[in-house]
Amino acid sequence: MPRRRRRSRVSALEGGREEEAPPEAAAVPSALLTSSQQTEAAAEQILLRGIFEIGRGSCDVVLSDQALRWRPIQPERPTGDSKYDMLCKEEFIELKDVFSVKLKRRCSVKQQRSGTLLGITLFICLKKEQNKLKDSTLDLINLSEDHCDIWFRQLKKILTGFSNRPKSLKILLNPQSHKKEAIQVYDEKVEPLLKLAGIKTDVIITEYEGHAVSLLKECELQGFDGVVCVGGDGSASEVAHALLLRAQKNAGMETDGILTPVRAQLPLGLIPAGSTNVLAHSLHGISHVVTATLHIIMGHIQLVDVCTFSTTNKLLRFGFSAMFGFGGRTLALAEKCRWMSPSHRRDFAVMKALAKLKPEDCEISFLPFKSSEDVQERRAQGSPKSDCNDQWQMIQGQFLNVSIMAIPCLCSVAPRGLAPNTRLNNGSMALIIARNTSRPEFIKHLKRYASVKNQFNFPFVETYTVAEVIVHPRNNSSRYSPEEEEEPHETASENSFPWNVDGDLMEVTSEVHVRLHPRLISLYGGSTEEMIPK
């Protein structure tokens, strides 16, 4: 029976389960490597060499400390045959992209645990389009037990050497996120990959708001390499807050009035299972469960800036972004309609908040951002507002919305991000202010977020790059009044101002002081430097 023509590298990796990846995803032929790349390849330490069948063709396979390379074994042919030369080009995968290796066996129903050895399977993390990651496989077929055992042990040894990859994770799962799909998402998409990678897990299902804070305050974390949150923005922000509180406690620091909090001791992984998933989307450039899971498995780490929200020298919480005014009122309205689906709840709250649109009379003081070094020096000196009045600026008036964001806040309804000029760890926050204007003009501004047009190109919108912000309401116009609604909000009081902090409702009775703390927490994820559309 004639053999089929050997498939491409990507086709072989994916086993023909899905469509072939675009040409840029394929391996670069050695002939196209730059001289520096060829030098690097030559400098690799060769560990093993043998013959395996890959993609229905026998190949000469070489394992180095950095890559697995293979070249098809073909009968000699006259030189100058360009078609033949292309077929014989070397292909490779980098070992840093391999996250698991297993012995491949043919198992029958009666042979649950072991069967005829077929070879070795490598499980690989492939980069796809639009920042997406995908798990794939590469089969090295060889029926020799001894031959495969040697290769298997060597590959396992190499993978064990990637010390940045987690071996044990604490999983916090919010079963109420979005359409209550978090458990299903974890069981069907996340757990199989973690198990395949050999990562031990301790899964805890949270039972109420604030449960994650209570758990992480006292639970044993020694022996874990990271914490993973399966849920939406509120759940992820709560877990981040809890990890940072735990770090301050372990360092013997008081959180109230803190100017230089210590960094969280364990990295945090975010599995998007909410309605908007702003945090996960900003971190990975895409809201995709498998991508988020593979970033965790591969140990990809991003240092991310965090804000502290305080009032009268009392810490309210750690967070990444906040909205006051329209954004806060909208969330307060949405929280009253938890019986609706997330999309309907959001749309209803936006429409109702627009119908009752009114400005907030307040004073906003802010410290302009200069440089990361300047911020760190000021933090080290512990300079409060009163010590640097000459640097602070103040604006006052009627404002429809105030946004303070330390991350881009990407999501499906805002492809450029709510704060597209901000990055995950550039040491600054975006202060975006929408002054009082007509309802039609404000709606035009909101609609711009869903497009690639500049949402700030309006005379009533002002943007600043800042290191600190103080929002001080000057009268009761912005206070949340439950009498305005048909049913009082469960936790609202007549003297509170509604804030939207990372999708959670925070009710405050006075001014709020927001400080940025550069690179305060480590999150599992890829870089988003080039993810935001221009």
Side-chain angles (χ1 to χ4, degrees):
M1 181 176 180
R3 289 183 176 178
R4 293 186 300 171
R5 184 174 178 178
R6 191 170 63 86
R7 296 175 293 172
S8 69
R9 168 180 176 263
V10 172
S11 177
L13 292 180
E14 300 185 356
R17 290 176 296 175
E18 295 186 6
E19 70 278 5
E20 285 195 11
E24 61 269 22
V28 180
S30 57
L32 300 181
L33 294 176
T34 64
S35 58
S36 61
Q37 289 173 320
Q38 290 176 340
T39 302
E40 291 176 4
E44 294 176 7
Q45 180 183 358
I46 304 301
L47 303 175
L48 293 171
R49 184 170 185 174
I51 296 177
F52 289 91
E53 185 177 310
I54 300 178
R56 296 183 179 273
S58 294
C59 295
D60 179 15
V61 183
V62 176
L63 175 66
S64 72
D65 56 344
Q66 298 178 34
L68 182 80
R69 304 175 183 276
W70 66 93
R71 185 188 297 271
I73 299 173
Q74 299 286 350
E76 291 187 8
R77 295 191 183 182
T79 57
D81 189 335
S82 59
K83 185 177 180 181
Y84 169 74
D85 291 341
M86 287 300 296
L87 286 174
C88 291
K89 294 299 182 183
E90 181 184 79
E91 299 179 80
F92 70 95
I93 55 171
E94 295 184 87
L95 295 180
K96 66 181 180 63
D97 295 328
V98 179
F99 65 88
S100 184
V101 58
K102 304 287 184 184
L103 289 173
K104 181 180 179 66
R105 296 183 182 276
R106 179 184 289 115
C107 296
S108 64
V109 177
K110 296 181 180 180
Q111 295 174 315
Q112 294 286 334
R113 296 184 179 179
S114 63
T116 304
L117 178 70
L118 298 178
I120 301 171
T121 298
L122 276 62
F123 296 87
I124 303 158
C125 175
L126 284 182
K127 295 180 180 180
K128 306 289 281 186
E129 67 284 350
Q130 298 178 341
N131 308 304
K132 186 179 292 186
L133 301 181
K134 179 186 181 297
D135 60 300
S136 301
T137 60
L138 175 68
D139 290 330
L140 306 178
I141 304 301
N142 190 302
L143 304 184
S144 170
E145 290 269 4
D146 293 338
H147 186 66
C148 289
D149 183 66
I150 294 172
W151 280 72
F152 175 76
R153 289 177 182 275
Q154 187 64 62
L155 286 165
K156 288 284 287 186
K157 181 180 179 181
I158 294 173
L159 296 187
T160 304
F162 293 117
S163 58
N164 60 311
R165 297 183 183 180
K167 297 176 177 61
S168 181
L169 295 170
K170 173 81 74 175
I171 312 288
L172 298 179
L173 194 155
N174 180 5
Q176 301 301 319
S177 292
H178 193 39
K179 298 178 181 179
K180 301 183 178 181
E181 299 171 341
I183 293 178
Q184 181 181 358
V185 165
Y186 179 78
D187 289 344
E188 295 181 0
K189 297 183 178 181
V190 181
E191 186 181 37
L193 284 173
L194 296 180
K195 186 177 180 180
L196 184 62
I199 298 175
K200 298 178 181 179
T201 58
D202 178 25
V203 181
I204 299 178
I205 298 178
T206 57
E207 300 174 0
Y208 53 86
E209 185 177 348
H211 193 192
V213 176
S214 300
L215 287 170
L216 291 176
K217 184 178 180 180
E218 302 294 343
C219 73
E220 180 60 56
L221 291 179
Q222 187 174 1
F224 290 99
D225 300 308
V227 176
V228 174
C229 173
V230 185
D233 289 320
S235 302
S237 180
E238 181 182 332
V239 175
H241 172 68
L243 284 173
L244 287 164
L245 283 181
R246 170 93 177 227
Q248 312 318 306
K249 177 184 176 182
N250 292 346
M253 300 181 67
E254 293 290 336
T255 53
D256 292 338
I258 190 171
L259 292 175
T260 54
V262 299
R263 183 178 295 173
Q265 296 165 328
L266 291 178
L268 171 61
L270 307 178
I271 302 296
S275 53
T276 54
N277 303 305
V278 167
L279 286 174
H281 204 135
S282 297
L283 183 63
H284 310 305
I286 189 173
S287 181
H288 187 244
V289 171
V290 172
T291 295
T293 305
L294 287 173
H295 277 304
I296 295 170
I297 290 172
M298 303 303 289
H300 299 158
I301 294 291
Q302 277 282 304
L303 287 172
V304 179
D305 299 340
V306 179
C307 306
T308 50
F309 297 88
S310 307
T311 180
T312 59
N313 290 324
K314 179 178 176 59
L315 176 69
L316 296 172
R317 66 177 294 163
F318 292 94
F320 301 93
S321 65
M323 288 185 283
F324 174 76
F326 177 79
R329 287 180 172 275
T330 301
L331 181 60
L333 289 167
E335 285 297 304
K336 293 183 58 195
C337 305
R338 279 283 173 180
W339 53 272
M340 293 184 180
S341 68
S343 58
H344 289 162
R345 182 169 68 238
R346 181 181 64 240
D347 293 343
F348 171 80
V350 169
M351 295 300 294
K352 198 161 188 178
L354 285 172
K356 296 188 176 185
L357 185 67
K358 62 180 181 180
E360 320 291 2
D361 185 10
C362 59
E363 174 184 299
I364 301 175
S365 302
F366 61 89
L367 185 63
F369 170 76
K370 292 183 178 180
S371 67
S372 299
E373 292 75 13
D374 177 70
V375 172
Q376 292 171 2
E377 180 180 354
R378 184 168 47 81
R379 291 282 184 268
Q381 295 172 351
S383 301
K385 176 187 175 184
S386 59
D387 292 338
C388 49
N389 285 328
D390 57 326
Q391 300 179 21
W392 283 74
Q393 298 182 20
M394 188 267 287
I395 56 178
Q396 56 187 358
Q398 304 282 319
F399 306 110
L400 290 176
N401 190 67
V402 179
S403 298
I404 306 167
M405 299 177 172
I407 61 174
C409 293
L410 297 168
C411 60
S412 58
V413 296
R416 294 183 69 245
L418 300 179
N421 296 326
T422 304
R423 293 297 181 264
L424 295 172
N425 53 22
N426 62 350
S428 67
M429 300 181 291
L431 171 62
I432 304 166
I433 299 171
R435 290 184 178 269
N436 192 21
T437 188
S438 65
R439 183 181 290 108
E441 285 298 300
F442 185 65
I443 291 175
K444 286 181 182 178
H445 163 60
L446 295 181
K447 286 184 175 180
R448 284 278 185 92
Y449 282 100
S451 69
V452 294
K453 295 181 180 179
N454 185 357
Q455 62 263 45
F456 308 131
N457 190 24
F458 292 91
F460 57 88
V461 178
E462 301 173 14
T463 62
Y464 304 90
T465 303
V466 301
E468 292 188 40
V469 181
I470 297 177
V471 179
H472 178 70
R474 295 196 298 178
N475 59 28
N476 292 340
S477 68
S478 61
R479 294 178 186 264
Y480 181 86
S481 176
E483 285 77 13
E484 294 179 1
E485 312 302 333
E486 293 79 359
E487 300 176 5
H489 187 268
E490 294 178 358
T491 59
S493 69
E494 295 182 14
N495 297 319
S496 65
F497 301 91
W499 283 72
N500 180 338
V501 179
D502 296 333
D504 272 350
L505 182 62
M506 183 177 73
E507 294 160 358
V508 190
T509 58
S510 61
E511 71 178 25
V512 173
H513 191 163
V514 187
R515 292 185 176 92
L516 184 88
H517 304 278
R519 301 177 174 230
L520 195 60
I521 193 169
S522 298
L523 301 182
Y524 287 111
S527 173
T528 56
E529 289 302 309
E530 303 299 330
M531 293 178 179
I532 302 174
K534 303 298 183 184

